[in-house]
Amino acid sequence: GEGNRKSESGKRKSAERGEALREHIYTQADGTPVAKKIRWGSSDGAKDKKLKKFTWQRWENGKWENGLTSDRQAALPLYRVDKLGAAAFAETVILTEGEHDADAGASLGLLTTTTGGAGAFSEKHVSYLAGRNAAIAIVAHGDAAGRAEAEKRAALLYGPGTGKAQSVKVIEVPGSKDLAESIDKGLTRQLI
């Protein structure tokens, strides 16, 4: 009957987006959850390109609810902002292009953050990183678009005497498309 068709449709839709591969939780500076970005796809690399998709959930009334408007996405704090507190004020911050790269860097003990993909970093994010006593290293993706994005972020962050970051550098890991891939290939904290 009608219920079976809805069920079949739901199964088909779920199969088309693959499986949830990763979840990235955005929080306020105090650790309170705000939003969750879910990366859908397949562990099979060939299928993953076709199935790669992101969805959002918002933390509302003590539980996760589906959906997050583009305005609310744009207003999110930096990913892992709760790790950027005063205790880490003098530690170099690694700004990556995506959450997966930020998590990979954190697995090495690096202080990592991001706004997500290309185009998401804006002037409002600068305040989270301004005035730090240490460098901000922006890890560029290994292509022309990634380098352009990293340079855009550096231009927003750098400004001696303006309260912005005092030391900003752009780095790229040769032979890898991004930080996560370079760590998979054996990059260690000492080599960064």
Side-chain angles (χ1 to χ4, degrees), residues 78-81 83-84 91-96 98-114 139 179 183 192:
L78 289 173
Y79 180 63
R80 304 186 81 251
V81 70
K83 309 298 184 211
L84 300 178
E91 188 177 341
T92 298
V93 174
I94 310 294
L95 180 61
T96 67
E99 296 90 354
H100 183 54
D101 288 337
D103 289 344
S107 75
L108 294 181
L110 298 170
L111 183 60
T112 56
T113 190
T114 190
V139 180
L179 183 59
I183 290 170
I192 294 181

Side-chain angles (χ1 to χ4, degrees), residues 166-185:
Q166 299 300 308
S167 176
V168 177
K169 60 185 173 181
V170 174
I171 59 176
E172 186 177 330
V173 185
S176 296
K177 66 177 180 163
D178 58 24
L179 183 59
E181 181 180 285
S182 64
I183 290 170
D184 286 346
K185 291 180 176 180

Side-chain angles (χ1 to χ4, degrees), residues 9-20:
S9 172
K11 287 179 187 173
R12 210 171 22 257
K13 184 176 181 182
S14 178
E16 289 171 6
R17 78 172 167 196
E19 58 186 298

Side-chain angles (χ1 to χ4, degrees), residues 3 5 10 17 24 28 30 61 76 99 108 123 125-127 130 137 146 148 151 162-164 169-170 172 177 191:
R5 270 187 262 145
R17 78 172 167 196
H24 306 287
Q28 297 292 351
D30 67 3
N61 300 319
L76 288 173
E99 296 90 354
L108 294 181
E123 186 69 40
H125 294 107
V126 171
S127 64
E151 292 295 334
T162 63
K164 293 184 178 181
K169 60 185 173 181
V170 174
E172 186 177 330
K177 66 177 180 163
L191 295 174

Side-chain angles (χ1 to χ4, degrees), residues 120-131:
F121 192 82
S122 68
E123 186 69 40
K124 74 176 180 59
H125 294 107
V126 171
S127 64
Y128 292 106
L129 301 170

